[in-house]
Amino acid sequence: MNRINQKLQEDKKLLSIYFTAGFPKINDTVSIIQELEKNGVDMIEIGLPFSDPLADGPTIQESSTIAIENGMTTSLLFEQLKDIRESVQIPLIIMGYFNPMMQFGMEKFCQKCAEVGIDGLIIPDLPLFVYETEYKAIFKKYNLKNIFLISPQTSVERIQQIDAISDSFIYMVSSAAVTGSQSGFGSEQMNYFKRITDLNLKNPQIVGFGIKDEETFQQATEYQKGAIIGSAFINFLKENPIEKTYSFTNYLIKKC
């Protein structure tokens, strides 16, 4: 069974952390992953930096720019991850945009993911129809889960289509804003979380965008299976050494 599906079966709220590969320094990738697992994180999203990250806010955009300036590439990321499964057991997901994956070669990219132990991909700009007609078989061949995004503006019909084709979890964007832009969740967003729960989808949902502290984590997981923190952790890495990761995760782990 894919590690993502195994993790989703656990009777707890899940904490997933996003970081940008190659940030703050080019060779920090493995150390960050190891520290996050050591400090109780359930899943990790490894951001593949891209020059035009449309869904990301200023914080993650800046981290991508720095990572690219540091020399991070798709090939280098796979090289850094080649031995990661010797020390890390939790699910690892690459989150990135379709263009660099397509340039690398989509089947070659999926094959390399399988070789290093990646469990799934989040590709915000990969259309559902294109995935279903051109890439679904490749993902299945390499036992990779493709994780789709929904937002408050996504129609019920499309949500049900995504649910039907998905086989792990649905990435539930908390609002139409870019990453890192929220200051908390109001009644409109909480109603949206409840509305999706009432659809009784077969795939659990994990909430992203706007989760940054204990309060927003609790709100995001009241109805959903887990939550993803990205921009807040990137900001933490700007000011703190990787070895201090425990001070970021400790208070959240207690709520899972």
Side-chain angles (χ1 to χ4, degrees), residues 16 39 66 72 120 125 136 159 170 177 179 183 216 226-227 232-233 251:
S16 181
N39 288 289
I66 292 170
M72 178 52 66
D125 58 344
K136 182 180 177 182
I159 291 171
I170 295 172
T179 57
S183 58
T216 48
F233 185 61
Y251 71 98

Side-chain angles (χ1 to χ4, degrees), residues 21-72:
F23 174 88
K25 298 178 182 176
I26 188 67
N27 291 317
D28 284 342
T29 306
V30 170
S31 297
I32 291 172
I33 293 171
Q34 290 171 335
E35 282 295 314
L36 286 171
E37 180 179 60
K38 183 172 76 175
N39 288 289
V41 170
D42 295 296
M43 292 192 289
I44 299 172
E45 293 178 18
I46 305 163
L48 179 61
F50 181 50
S51 58
D52 190 23
L54 296 176
D56 295 313
T59 298
I60 294 179
Q61 285 186 16
E62 181 188 25
S63 69
S64 289
T65 298
I66 292 170
I68 291 169
E69 290 173 349
N70 286 344
M72 178 52 66

Side-chain angles (χ1 to χ4, degrees), residues 232-249:
F233 185 61
I234 297 291
N235 283 327
F236 175 84
L237 290 175
K238 288 181 185 178
E239 308 293 336
N240 299 274
I242 296 168
E243 294 76 16
K244 293 282 188 179
T245 295
Y246 66 88
S247 67
F248 182 86
T249 60

Side-chain angles (χ1 to χ4, degrees), residues 30-241:
V30 170
S31 297
I32 291 172
I33 293 171
Q34 290 171 335
E35 282 295 314
L36 286 171
E37 180 179 60
K38 183 172 76 175
N39 288 289
V41 170
D42 295 296
M43 292 192 289
I44 299 172
E45 293 178 18
I46 305 163
L48 179 61
F50 181 50
S51 58
D52 190 23
L54 296 176
D56 295 313
T59 298
I60 294 179
Q61 285 186 16
E62 181 188 25
S63 69
S64 289
T65 298
I66 292 170
I68 291 169
E69 290 173 349
N70 286 344
M72 178 52 66
T73 65
T74 304
S75 295
L76 179 56
L77 176 59
F78 286 129
E79 178 65 22
Q80 291 178 345
L81 295 176
K82 65 180 181 180
D83 299 319
I84 195 65
R85 285 305 176 189
E86 294 179 5
S87 59
V88 173
Q89 284 72 51
I90 63 173
L92 300 176
I93 299 167
I94 289 180
M95 184 170 186
Y97 293 85
F98 187 47
N99 186 279
M101 297 180 191
M102 187 172 59
Q103 289 183 354
F104 191 82
M106 201 62 199
E107 178 152 11
K108 180 184 174 184
F109 187 91
C110 291
Q111 182 180 0
K112 292 297 291 184
C113 285
E115 287 175 4
V116 303
I118 296 297
D119 302 290
L121 298 177
I122 301 172
I123 314 171
D125 58 344
L126 175 59
L128 179 64
F129 174 77
V130 174
Y131 166 74
E132 189 168 16
T133 56
E134 297 186 30
Y135 300 114
K136 182 180 177 182
I138 296 174
F139 276 67
K140 185 175 181 180
K141 176 179 178 181
Y142 294 105
N143 192 27
L144 291 170
K145 303 302 180 182
N146 188 34
I147 297 147
F148 287 98
L149 283 71
I150 65 170
S151 77
Q153 287 70 42
T154 307
S155 69
V156 172
E157 180 183 11
R158 181 169 175 80
I159 291 171
Q160 291 172 337
Q161 290 174 339
I162 287 171
D163 189 46
I165 202 171
S166 297
D167 184 28
S168 59
F169 70 89
I170 295 172
Y171 189 126
M172 189 172 166
V173 176
S174 65
S175 78
V178 294
T179 57
S181 60
Q182 285 89 352
S183 58
F185 298 129
S187 59
E188 184 177 345
Q189 286 163 311
M190 295 304 295
N191 289 337
Y192 157 60
F193 298 161
K194 177 66 163 59
R195 175 168 60 85
I196 299 303
T197 299
D198 291 342
L199 291 176
N200 294 314
L201 303 175
K202 70 181 178 72
N203 292 279
Q205 306 93 51
I206 296 183
V207 181
F209 291 45
I211 297 94
K212 61 179 182 178
D213 52 24
E214 180 180 344
E215 178 186 5
T216 48
F217 181 83
Q218 287 284 82
Q219 288 179 307
T221 58
E222 180 175 349
Y223 300 109
Q224 271 61 48
K225 177 64 176 176
I228 302 157
I229 296 179
S231 296
F233 185 61
I234 297 291
N235 283 327
F236 175 84
L237 290 175
K238 288 181 185 178
E239 308 293 336
N240 299 274

